[in-house]
Structure formats: C-alpha cells, structure tokens
Amino acid sequence: MPTTHRSTSVRRPLITLDAMRRLSDCIILVRNWMANNHLKLNEDKTQVIWLGTRQQLSKIMAQSLTLPNAAEQFTNNINDLGVLIDSQLTMADHISALSRSCFFQLHQLRSIKPSLTLEAMKTLVRAFVSSRLDYCNSVLAGVSGQLLHRLQVIQNAAARLVTGVRKYERMMLVLHSLHYYYYYYYYYYYYYKSTDYSDASLKLQGHVTYQI
C-alpha cells in the first residue's frame, strides 16, 4: 500500500498563517483589555517583526498582519524603548545607531573641550556618551566579538577625549583610571559567568581574539 507524505512546502504557509492569526488574536485581546481600563492601543504606531535565522526568514512570504483597524507591514527592525531589534537578533542595527549617536556627541564635546575643566568634561561624557552605552546594555549579552569591538571603540574614544592620551596608547589603565569597564571582560562575564581574567587576551564569539 503506497504511503503519502504531506509536503513541507504546503505545511509551511499554513503554519505561518496560524502564527499570524494567533498573534492578531493576542493583540486584539490586549487592545480590549486596554479599552476596558480606559487606555488606548495605537495600532497606527504598532510595529510587527518576524524573528528567526536567515534561512527561516527567507521562507516567509507574508508581508503584513491584518488587525481590525489597520494592516501592519512586517519590518526588518523595530524600535522598542530606544533599542533597535533586528529580525535575527544580532543587535547590529542597534549598535550601528548607538555608534553614530555617541560619535556625534563626542564630536560636539570636542569642540568645547578647551573651555571645560577635567571634571566638567568627565561629567559631560558620562551624561552624553556613557549613559547611552549603559542604556539597556543587558540585551547585548552574547553578541559577536566584532560588535563588541565597535562598542569598545566608542569607549576608548571617550576616554581619549577626557584624558588626552594618544590614539595608539594601550587603553586598559586609562579605562581603569576613569572607572570605565572593558567591554570584552564585562560581556564575557555577563554572558558566560566567567571570572577568569588572568589572560592578557580574551577570546569571544566568532573566534576573534583581542589584545588588551
């Protein structure tokens, strides 16, 4: 007796449609709960995104999610309280935006540095740069070593602006003197719960080794 197999290419759209239906039902329940509590869900500002690997995302054909009062287009990244979340959760878009913002602030501060005392410069860098690096930084645990390097470049640039050290100086002691943490150690400990910092270099995800 011949056996029949249901094609995965047929099942996949059904699974996608079921997931979209359940998500839509969940949003409607949230909207109704908010309405009962004198709140309003602004569907025009609602953002929806698919999360998955590049291979999984390439198989999804759905472009929008239909809600009672709007049809929301799926996007490649969303802004959640100032954190940019991309479809593959690499956090690359967030770190790119963070880098642009921090270097803009450093450029502005450099222009007024001659008029400021050392303590004033420390305070301004902490307020305009360090606060941005620290904001929601726990979501960056587990990112690739290349992306951590971009954060460290920002931290090093801020330390050089404050202290005036040259570009090619080793930064560990400078960062320590300013009580800035070294990102490779910080996130390595946060993600792997490791306390072995005895080595002079640190190997991170992506098999990249960075010298301190």
Side-chain angles (χ1 to χ4, degrees):
M1 181 177 178
T3 59
T4 58
H5 299 276
R6 183 178 294 178
S7 171
T8 56
S9 62
V10 175
R11 286 202 311 247
R12 191 173 295 114
L14 296 177
I15 295 173
T16 301
L17 290 173
D18 181 61
M20 293 174 62
R21 179 188 58 79
R22 288 187 285 123
L23 177 59
S24 179
D25 291 343
C26 180
I27 293 175
I28 291 172
L29 288 174
V30 172
R31 185 195 63 179
N32 293 340
W33 178 89
M34 294 179 69
N36 292 334
N37 289 274
H38 309 289
L39 301 171
K40 178 177 173 56
L41 176 66
N42 191 340
E43 294 177 357
D44 292 333
K45 293 185 177 180
T46 300
Q47 298 175 295
V48 289
I49 185 173
W50 287 109
L51 300 177
T53 64
R54 181 180 298 130
Q55 292 77 10
Q56 291 172 330
L57 294 171
S58 66
K59 299 172 184 176
I60 298 175
M61 298 294 104
Q63 299 297 320
S64 64
L65 177 68
T66 302
L67 300 175
N69 298 326
E72 301 297 338
Q73 297 293 319
F74 286 100
T75 181
N76 293 325
N77 58 64
I78 61 173
N79 190 326
D80 186 10
L81 298 177
V83 177
L84 288 178
I85 301 175
D86 58 276
S87 296
Q88 299 179 52
L89 295 179
T90 64
M91 305 308 296
D93 292 343
H94 176 68
I95 290 178
S96 294
L98 183 62
S99 178
R100 289 192 299 270
S101 175
C102 288
F103 276 112
F104 173 79
Q105 297 297 333
L106 288 173
H107 178 75
Q108 297 294 96
L109 291 174
R110 186 174 290 110
S111 65
I112 62 172
K113 181 180 179 180
S115 305
L116 300 173
T117 64
L118 177 60
E119 289 304 317
M121 178 57 70
K122 286 182 180 180
T123 301
L124 289 175
V125 168
R126 191 177 302 115
F128 291 101
V129 179
S130 298
S131 62
R132 285 176 164 82
L133 292 173
D134 291 341
Y135 178 70
C136 290
N137 59 6
S138 60
V139 301
L140 302 178
V143 302
S144 68
Q146 288 86 349
L147 292 178
L148 284 184
H149 178 65
R150 296 186 65 181
L151 294 177
Q152 193 60 57
V153 168
I154 300 170
Q155 188 82 294
N156 291 353
R160 289 190 184 99
L161 178 63
V162 172
T163 61
V165 299
R166 293 177 297 178
K167 183 176 181 180
Y168 297 103
E169 292 281 348
R170 300 293 288 273
M171 295 302 298
M172 177 59 82
L173 293 179
V174 177
L175 294 173
H176 180 71
S177 68
L178 294 172
H179 303 289
Y180 291 173
Y181 48 71
Y182 204 75
Y183 275 94
Y184 304 130
Y185 281 173
Y186 178 80
Y187 285 109
Y188 190 85
Y189 172 73
Y190 189 93
Y191 189 63
Y192 295 102
K193 302 299 186 294
S194 171
T195 56
D196 183 11
Y197 298 157
S198 57
D199 196 358
S201 62
L202 187 63
K203 195 169 185 180
L204 297 164
Q205 286 184 336
H207 307 288
V208 179
T209 302
Y210 295 97
Q211 292 295 127
I212 297 171

